[in-house]
Amino acid sequence: MRAMSSPRSGFGSGFRFLFEPGFFSSGPVHAALLTGTVVALVSGAVGVFTVLRGQSFAGHSLADLGTLGGSGAFLFGVGPLWGFIAAGVAVGGAMDLASTRRRASRGVATGIVLGAVQGVSALLLYLDTTSGSTTGVTVTVLFGSLFAVSGYTATATLAFALLGLASLAVCYRPLLLDSVSTDLAAARGVRVRLLGLAFMVVMGITVALSSLIVGTILSPALLIGPAATALRLTQSPLAAMGTAAALGALATGLGVLLAYDSYHWKPVGNGWPVSLFVIALLFTAYLLSGLRRPRAGTGPAPATATTEAA
Amino acid sequence: MFAPFMQDTWITAGIVAVIAALVGFFVVLRAAAFTAHAVPNAAFAGAAGAGLVGVSSLVGLGVFSLGGALLIGLLSRKGRHDAVTALTVALMLGLGALFLSWSTEYAPEIYSLLFGEVLGLSSQDVTTTAILGFACVAVLACVYRPLMLSSTLPEVAEARGIRQVRIDLLFLTLVALATTTAVPVVGALLMFTLMIGPPAAARALTRHPAPALTLGVLLALATVWIAIAASYQTDWPIGFFVGVISAAWYLLARAAAAVFRR
Amino acid sequence: MSAPVISPMSLPAPGPAPDGPARPVLEVEQVSIRLGGRQILDRVGFTLRAGEFTGLIGSNGAGKTTLLRIVLGLRGADGGSVRVGGKPLTRRARGVGYVPQKIQIEHDAPLRARDLVALGLDGERLGPRLPSRDRRDAVARMLEAVDATRFADARVGTLSGGEQQRVLIAHALIARPRLLVMDEPLANLDLRAGQEIVELTSRVAREQGVAVLLSAHDINPLLPVMDKVVYLAEGRAVHGRTDQVVRSEVLSELYRHPISVLRVDGRILVVAGATVRAEAFDAGERDVRADTAARPAGLPEVHAG
């Protein structure tokens, strides 16, 4: 991007300008790229079902609620990983249990849980700030940094990411069936409530992981953005999941690259937030995918398909 | 707690509660909880950015909440509403993170922007809040009937020539206005709790609009006033009390409704 | 095959032969349910035999969907029993294919018609599925059987109502059920598409020897293919051949209210009211004819009640 606007010309200098010297030899960058890519892959796959099931709000809320895990972990001095994971699983379960079958009231139930837990996070953050000397906790927890991944966290992240993918593979067919019609799935013997709960837990783990690695702002964007874009580009479920995972990983990689470059950008020479770059890339991809005319079905556009939303 | 310097706090919070409950009634009716959550988050970015360009944070709040709301409204005409909302929030928060990284504000100030700062508002804030609140109520009074019709019977509203798109944008503008009013007081993160908790509790108890509106307003007032008193006593953040009390109303109302239906 | 997949080829051959035509596929006995203080179903009972096409007829709110949901095991009843293939209902209604009235899929869902039919084989199973030629062929044959090959690779959400019904029928039938339950398949279709769906269902069901239980509020589109009718009103049901059930005295007894059944141009009109006077009938018939010409739909049936 920046290379294009550069007054310098020639491929070699442009390349060197795009990839700042030292980009590939930096240890933190390696860890960030690896964990970021893994998280993006899982988020993309889980995200397709999140968007299909109309649970973007829940996905977003789970990320916000990672705040609870983060602030709680700071307060009690446990590793943030476990705080995030525990909060993700607990809150995902609570949201599923509080919700009803109607989509309309589901949003309200999600919102109520989100509000209550954010209130508690506010308290925990307040206690963090007053009890310790760490005044920057709020900012760290809310806006997390990709460049602070330790070796242990990276390993645990990989393990949890594999767990998330495996769970998704197990539930894959019933989830698809449920996305067509809950009654149809139930009539075939799928325990739809249990399935919903299981999916919320998988989503909770995924979002918690990515909140920890890439921050609570970026994690819902990684969940929803690539998936929403992929739904506009693909025809079959596996293609959608693959495309979403690839898009997420690509945007993360590019974002880390740009952020690394931005250390030399104005106005402050300490780097722009990675999350902003990744989100901007995802948002652009979503907008661009909207320009593509959807492949028309053979029949006339169904009146029933569009009325469901709102 | 009832010292003169606290008087403004009680009044400001009261105005905010009324506005939140009135707009919140339609938020719950239109199942737009996510929107109500998204707009204040966008507003936060605006407040963070306002300091950088040297304008008042109220301007930043207004511009970004309106911008975020309209972006959601326009994009969701061609995509899934909830996915678009999620992406817009993320973009806004990403901008917020950028502005924060540039600004030199201290963490406690950011904290109060996120979680609210009721104690110690200046009298100028009361006037501003009152004016904004009045504007909100005035707009709501003007569009009450078409908004009501399109929220409950969209097809009938469409048949009567009420354009759904316009109503959507109008509703989003209302949410943005209410957000601008309330965020400086209750904070960006808890604003929406006040907007959905009390109205949702009221709606669980009664389906008729007038009692639901009244009950929602009363519950919202109770929420903020109890929260202020508790926050004053404990020194804990007001957002904690607002979030927990709002959720408590909702749970109580659902439980009561379930008992009565037996 | 390495994965524990039931190949459609290994399932028992279709057709009425194994069970014999007399063996009941579905036995509903004394099913009752009260909802919100109202008796929705009151000791409803009927039996379906292999290969029979049965229409479940009743006006809106007569309890058709509730009854179908009980048959599918989606909800319990206050009393009575449902047996499928001689066995009591379990959570998974084995041997029952289901075509729901509405699906919630949106136009951007990345699910092709082909994928939905494949889910009919084993969509409820956990774990990944290995692709296989047998499965692909079975899906292709099923799509062919319902004339859906043309749009096999289009997303389900972009198909028209009639096309979606075809795909759903294929989805339901590919697992070779003994009973196909369809909830108001004609409700959202125009008349021609509705007629096509009825004929298709009847044809494919007969080929496979599947009993069909199809709910509708209008009996007329089903008349050419229907073997039996279950008429639902006031929470009660009468069951039998169409000409036995759809008669003034039978329906009057069912509704506990005078009902007249008129046959006009091969259509059946069910109207409230006792004896229709001759001149009124004649006038009515002329009106009906005029109306039928103007609206091929025929008059909507009128229910007491």
Side-chain angles (χ1 to χ4, degrees), chain B residues 43-256:
Chain B
F44 165 74
L52 288 175
V53 290
V55 296
S56 112
S57 69
L58 200 65
V59 174
L61 283 174
V63 169
F64 267 69
S65 54
L66 194 61
L70 294 183
L71 191 60
I72 292 171
L74 293 175
L75 285 181
S76 54
R77 289 164 67 177
K78 259 195 78 184
R80 290 189 182 234
H81 180 74
D82 60 341
V84 163
T85 310
L87 272 175
T88 307
V89 183
L91 185 68
M92 291 299 175
L93 284 177
L95 285 175
L98 177 69
F99 297 153
L100 279 185
S101 78
W102 285 349
S103 80
T104 49
E105 287 194 48
Y106 293 112
E109 285 163 33
I110 296 160
Y111 180 85
S112 73
L113 195 54
L114 286 170
F115 295 106
E117 183 59 75
V118 164
L119 308 182
L121 285 165
S122 68
S123 64
Q124 193 200 340
D125 284 323
V126 180
T127 321
T128 319
T129 311
I131 292 171
L132 280 171
F134 183 75
C136 214
V137 173
V139 173
L140 200 55
C142 289
V143 302
Y144 175 78
R145 276 176 297 172
L147 188 59
M148 191 75 195
L149 192 61
S150 90
S151 305
T152 45
L153 300 166
E155 286 89 6
V156 175
E158 197 86 28
R160 285 187 156 206
I162 301 170
R163 295 269 306 280
Q164 198 69 40
V165 180
R166 280 190 205 162
I167 287 285
D168 273 344
L169 291 181
L170 199 66
F171 168 71
L172 287 165
T173 311
L174 261 177
V175 173
L177 197 56
T179 299
T180 313
T181 316
V183 162
V185 185
V186 291
L189 293 188
L190 273 308
M191 162 64 198
F192 94 101
T193 319
L194 201 56
M195 247 196 291
I196 62 170
R203 203 169 131 75
L205 293 175
T206 170
R207 293 268 150 181
H208 301 288
L213 269 169
T214 317
L215 189 58
V217 168
L218 291 179
L219 286 178
L221 280 173
T223 308
V224 289
W225 282 337
I226 294 173
I228 290 174
S231 176
Y232 188 85
Q233 293 296 335
T234 57
D235 218 22
W236 288 1
I238 190 161
F240 166 69
F241 294 105
V242 171
V244 172
I245 296 172
S246 296
W249 292 135
Y250 179 68
L251 282 182
L252 285 176
R254 282 263 303 256

Side-chain angles (χ1 to χ4, degrees), chain C residues 13-303:
Chain C
D19 290 338
R23 174 82 182 275
V25 170
L26 173 69
E27 296 155 274
V28 176
E29 281 171 16
Q30 302 274 316
V31 166
S32 299
I33 188 164
R34 281 184 82 81
L35 288 174
R38 204 165 74 89
Q39 190 78 35
I40 305 292
L41 298 174
D42 182 12
R43 285 163 292 158
V44 167
F46 59 91
T47 303
L48 259 65
R49 294 180 193 284
E52 276 180 352
F53 193 117
T54 305
L56 175 61
I57 308 297
S59 54
N60 288 335
K64 298 189 297 288
T65 300
T66 308
L67 180 58
L68 290 186
R69 289 178 68 84
I70 293 172
V71 166
L72 289 162
L74 288 176
R75 70 166 309 140
D78 296 340
S81 72
V82 176
R83 296 161 77 83
V84 175
K87 296 193 194 87
L89 266 191
T90 50
R91 187 170 54 84
R92 158 121 164 75
R94 289 200 180 276
V96 180
Y98 172 41
V99 175
Q101 180 183 352
K102 246 176 89 178
I103 52 175
Q104 67 220 17
I105 202 158
E106 288 177 40
H107 64 283
D108 62 352
L111 191 78
R112 295 163 300 179
R114 190 182 290 294
D115 300 318
L116 181 52
V117 176
L119 282 176
L121 281 171
D122 49 14
E124 72 283 359
R125 282 170 185 264
L126 300 177
R129 172 187 66 198
L130 298 179
S132 88
R133 180 184 291 271
D134 281 354
R135 300 177 50 87
R136 265 205 313 277
D137 290 351
V139 169
R141 273 201 306 277
M142 198 65 233
L143 283 163
E144 184 69 47
V146 297
D147 298 326
T149 310
R150 200 163 40 89
F151 42 86
D153 287 314
R155 291 184 201 175
V156 177
T158 61
L159 299 177
S160 72
E163 289 167 340
Q164 285 188 354
Q165 288 286 352
R166 280 167 199 267
V167 177
L168 284 169
I169 292 169
H171 166 94
L173 288 182
I174 195 168
R176 300 290 163 119
R178 285 188 248 228
L179 171 65
L180 176 63
V181 173
M182 302 176 78
D183 188 5
E184 293 268 7
L186 310 181
N188 300 317
L189 299 186
D190 64 56
L191 289 163
R192 213 180 107 233
Q195 205 57 50
E196 281 173 12
I197 289 298
V198 167
E199 280 160 19
L200 173 94
T201 308
S202 162
R203 172 169 60 80
V204 181
R206 264 174 236 282
E207 280 167 15
Q208 293 199 357
V210 181
V212 179
L213 181 61
L214 185 152
S215 74
H217 53 266
D218 182 11
I219 195 169
N220 286 301
L222 307 179
L223 286 177
V225 300
M226 195 164 59
D227 301 311
K228 296 275 183 65
V229 61
V230 175
Y231 210 108
L232 207 57
E234 309 288 303
R236 300 180 301 156
V238 279
H239 176 225
R241 289 203 320 274
T242 315
D243 55 341
Q244 291 172 329
V245 170
V246 189
R247 296 157 59 134
S248 301
E249 61 272 27
V250 175
L251 293 189
S252 297
E253 166 66 22
L254 178 68
Y255 276 100
R256 297 190 176 110
H257 186 89
I259 298 288
S260 301
V261 174
L262 311 180
R263 286 186 161 73
V264 183
D265 278 353
R267 289 175 206 283
I268 294 178
L269 299 178
V270 179
V271 298
T275 47
V276 180
R277 279 174 295 126
E279 59 272 25
F281 180 79
D282 286 345
E285 186 170 341
R286 267 195 299 279
D287 285 342
V288 169
R289 284 221 171 97
D291 211 296
T292 333
R295 284 193 310 155
L299 285 178
E301 58 180 322
V302 182
H303 281 303

